[in-house]
Amino acid sequence: MTISVIRTFILYIAVMLGLRLMGKRQIGELQPSELVITIMFGNLAAVPMQETGIPLINGIAPIITLVFIEVMLSAISLKSKRFRRFISGSPSIIIRRGEIDLKELRRLRMSMDDVMEALRSKDIVNIDDVETAILDTDGEICIVPKAAKRPLTPEDLALSPKEEEMPYTIISDGRIITDNLNKINKSEKWLMGEIKKKKLAIPDVLLANYTRDGKLCFKKKENNN
Amino acid sequence: MKGTILTCFIFAALILGMIFAQMSLEKAGDEMTKPLDALTSAVDSDDWETADSVLKDLSEKWAENDKWLAMLIDHGETDLIITTMSEISQYEKYRDKPELMANIETLRELLAHIPKKERVTLENIF
């Protein structure tokens, strides 16, 4: 049993490293080849985890091989459009200029229920409101509503709002995040001074954000106990 | 790019490791099979003193190889080899020639199977 536990740790690390090496896409929407590899990962790790008679390397070697295949496929796909189309397929337009492409739907073996479900998930209940719908290679349906039905944007109102940039978090749960403090070229001494002005101490601060326009916003910890 | 290079590097290391492992398996198989020929001829000519020393030599060689063989081959196979070697040692001790000869042949097959199973052949792949 101890061996199984140790093997589980090792295989977990191997699978995690593999997924990290394959990049962020692997944990988000998956392309067909990525889905295949992710499913295989689970099985490859599970068998040597339980069967202590199987050498650990028999689980790790195929995982390394799969990571290599996936990384190589991605690298070649980046260079060649034809190869990318062969591996991942190409997006399919299922609604074009408001007209449903029934031939394409049949080819994709998609029912109208599937289309309506996808529309509802994008807050569209009437199919007449859709200008274009594209089924992407990762299975996600991208919907472009008709111009009159899309949400209003500041551009429609001839407004030019100021760009909002992400603030830097400099204190999180009573701890100073030195990396972010360095990014805004401020010292801990400065931060302490600012906190003192608010009659607080670092451990009392739940969150402190520094905005791009130089504002420091504090959120105090609540004493619930 | 860093990830791609690292993956290629790890995969290249895996390939080199595989080649080295296969060479080591072949070497261990040969090393362990050779004393069996000497053991067979010693038992055949009732030279129990030589058989005894060959068996000791074989056990030492196995102890050396067993440490790393378990990392590469099915643990069931190493267990089977250990069991067969214990039987051989007991049959040799009590001079049971027919059983001893039969078990030597079994051990020979088991040892030959170690590199054979890992060899890159169509039979193993499919």
Side-chain angles (χ1 to χ4, degrees):
Chain A
M1 201 165 98
T2 320
I3 300 298
S4 296
V5 172
I6 296 167
R7 281 170 159 243
T8 307
F9 270 109
I10 296 170
L11 286 161
Y12 177 77
I13 292 166
V15 172
M16 280 305 291
L17 283 176
L19 285 171
R20 290 285 292 118
L21 276 171
M22 284 197 279
K24 284 199 173 70
R25 280 196 313 164
Q26 210 62 30
I27 42 181
E29 299 296 336
L30 301 176
Q31 294 291 336
S33 63
E34 295 162 349
L35 178 71
V36 169
I37 284 175
T38 311
I39 292 169
M40 286 169 101
F41 255 30
N43 287 328
L44 281 171
V47 175
M49 242 180 234
Q50 301 157 31
E51 290 280 338
T52 49
I54 298 172
L56 197 58
I57 194 75
N58 286 10
I60 292 173
I63 288 173
I64 294 173
T65 312
L66 283 178
V67 172
F68 176 74
I69 292 170
E70 172 51 28
V71 169
M72 284 301 111
L73 287 182
S74 312
I76 301 168
S77 295
L78 268 180
K79 302 273 176 203
S80 159
K81 197 177 173 186
R82 192 179 288 181
F83 186 76
R84 188 163 59 239
R85 199 174 292 172
F86 173 68
I87 292 295
S88 305
S90 49
S92 306
I93 300 173
I94 52 178
I95 300 176
R96 198 192 299 258
R97 285 182 214 100
E99 291 294 318
I100 302 166
D101 190 338
L102 279 172
K103 205 174 147 195
E104 191 64 11
L105 276 185
R106 267 189 220 114
R107 194 185 71 79
L108 295 166
R109 288 186 297 278
M110 271 184 88
S111 67
M112 274 315 291
D113 288 343
D114 296 328
V115 177
M116 288 311 292
E117 199 178 306
L119 295 185
R120 282 196 298 272
S121 72
K122 307 276 176 183
D123 299 326
I124 295 172
V125 284
N126 190 351
I127 203 156
D128 290 335
D129 297 347
V130 180
E131 169 67 22
T132 309
I134 303 163
L135 177 69
D136 281 324
T137 52
D138 57 7
E140 181 85 354
I141 296 180
C142 167
I143 290 156
V144 181
K146 283 186 176 158
K149 296 291 178 178
R150 67 175 163 75
L152 201 63
T153 63
E155 208 181 343
D156 295 330
L157 302 170
L159 296 173
S160 42
K162 217 165 71 178
E163 288 298 335
E164 260 182 48
E165 287 182 69
M166 283 286 288
Y168 285 105
T169 299
I170 52 174
I171 301 175
S172 173
D173 207 7
R175 283 167 200 267
I176 299 174
I177 301 170
T178 322
D179 276 356
N180 286 350
L181 205 56
N182 292 338
K183 278 179 197 159
I184 57 169
N185 289 324
K186 300 282 183 192
S187 64
E188 275 190 35
K189 204 176 155 188
W190 166 84
L191 183 61
M192 297 297 233
E194 292 295 315
I195 287 169
K196 256 189 193 166
K197 278 185 205 167
K198 304 260 176 187
K199 292 179 182 150
L200 288 170
I202 299 266
D204 302 332
V205 181
L206 180 70
L207 192 79
N209 278 345
Y210 185 82
T211 59
R212 301 290 165 120
D213 50 6
K215 274 186 202 159
L216 191 59
C217 314
F218 291 101
K219 179 87 185 141
K220 206 180 141 189
K221 273 187 193 173
E222 299 291 335
N223 277 332
N224 292 332
N225 41 349
Chain B
M1 196 61 194
K2 216 162 71 180
T4 311
I5 293 167
L6 183 63
T7 311
C8 290
F9 181 76
I10 296 170
F11 189 67
L14 177 73
I15 298 288
L16 287 177
M18 274 158 48
I19 295 167
F20 178 73
Q22 186 56 35
M23 280 162 63
S24 305
L25 286 177
E26 298 276 357
K27 196 179 157 211
D30 277 353
E31 254 180 30
M32 299 282 297
T33 321
K34 268 178 199 158
L36 286 182
D37 296 332
L39 184 63
T40 312
S41 57
V43 175
D44 209 22
S45 55
D46 290 317
D47 182 359
W48 296 104
E49 212 169 289
T50 310
D52 198 39
S53 79
V54 171
L55 205 55
K56 256 186 201 160
D57 184 41
L58 190 69
S59 301
E60 278 167 20
K61 273 196 178 126
W62 174 252
E64 268 173 42
N65 290 319
D66 184 34
K67 288 171 201 161
W68 60 269
L69 271 176
M71 287 196 292
L72 301 172
I73 62 167
D74 197 320
H75 300 179
E77 279 193 66
T78 54
D79 292 345
L80 208 56
I81 291 171
I82 292 167
T83 312
T84 314
M85 282 183 66
S86 311
E87 282 176 352
I88 287 175
S89 137
Q90 289 306 300
Y91 289 134
E92 192 269 340
K93 192 176 168 187
Y94 295 104
R95 311 281 195 261
D96 186 342
K97 204 168 158 182
E99 286 288 351
L100 180 55
M101 286 302 230
N103 275 281
I104 289 171
E105 281 315 301
T106 308
L107 184 61
R108 197 192 299 276
E109 281 302 314
L110 288 171
L111 290 172
H113 189 245
I114 295 174
K116 200 177 152 193
K117 196 185 159 194
E118 297 296 321
R119 232 169 261 157
V120 186
T121 59
L122 283 177
E123 187 194 348
N124 284 340
I125 294 170
F126 295 103

